[in-house]
């Protein structure tokens, strides 16, 4: 609760946001993924294990479902970016508002090459 309260002014989550439960519920990042939409009235898309292991299928899912809040480890995000490069038509349909990183160190230089 404290984390959401302390970051409210940064993210401004609301009932229009669509989140994914990408990570295992045993991973601490899942707490953020589950409670974010529940606390703010948003929608939670539970990602199947097989889709979480296929960057192309995950890209299709987040485009189709209109995901606005994406929580990713940097290594998973880099794979998602590669899938978007292979399918730029899907990338153009994304409506992401925020990508929130956690779980491992982020290579800021790599993110600069992505934007």
């Amino acid at each position: 609760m404290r984390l959401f309260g302390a970051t409210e002014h940064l993210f401004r989550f609301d009932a229009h946001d669509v989140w994914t439960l990408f990570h295992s519920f045993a991973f601490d990042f899942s707490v953020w993924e589950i409670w974010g939409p529940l606390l703010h009235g948003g929608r939670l898309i539970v990602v199947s294990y097989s889709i979480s292991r296929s960057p192309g299928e995950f890209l299709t899912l987040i485009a189709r479902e209109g995901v606005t809040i994406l929580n990713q480890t940097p290594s998973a995000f880099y794979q998602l970016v590669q899938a978007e490069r292979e399918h730029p038509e899907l990338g153009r349909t994304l409506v992401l508002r925020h990508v929130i990183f956690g779980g491992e160190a982020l290579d800021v230089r790599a993110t600069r090459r992505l934007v």
Side-chain angles (χ1 to χ4, degrees):
M1 291 300 295
R2 229 176 254 181
L3 178 59
F4 284 108
T7 59
E8 179 185 0
H9 69 285
L10 298 172
F11 297 114
R12 304 205 186 285
F13 300 133
D14 65 30
H16 297 100
D17 284 318
V18 179
W19 302 57
T20 58
L21 176 58
F22 180 85
H23 299 92
S24 164
F25 65 86
F27 184 32
D28 60 354
F29 209 2
S30 70
V31 173
W32 176 266
E33 293 176 319
I34 294 168
W35 285 102
L38 295 178
L39 289 171
H40 297 93
R43 188 163 56 106
L44 178 62
I45 306 298
V46 178
V47 179
S48 71
Y49 179 80
S50 63
I51 290 177
S52 75
R53 298 301 179 254
S54 172
E57 288 183 47
F58 184 54
L59 177 66
T60 300
L61 176 110
I62 64 175
R64 181 183 68 236
E65 296 294 337
V67 171
T68 59
I69 308 298
L70 183 62
N71 303 281
Q72 290 282 274
T73 59
S75 56
F77 184 71
Y78 302 148
Q79 292 176 12
L80 183 63
V81 168
Q82 182 58 42
E84 190 276 333
R85 286 183 180 142
E86 294 168 5
H87 305 282
E89 70 285 355
L90 282 175
R92 288 188 290 274
T93 67
L94 296 177
V95 293
L96 293 171
R97 288 193 324 110
H98 296 292
V99 177
I100 302 160
F101 295 104
E104 62 193 40
L106 175 66
D107 180 356
V108 176
R109 291 171 297 168
T111 60
R112 286 188 186 130
R113 289 190 301 267
L114 302 175
V115 288

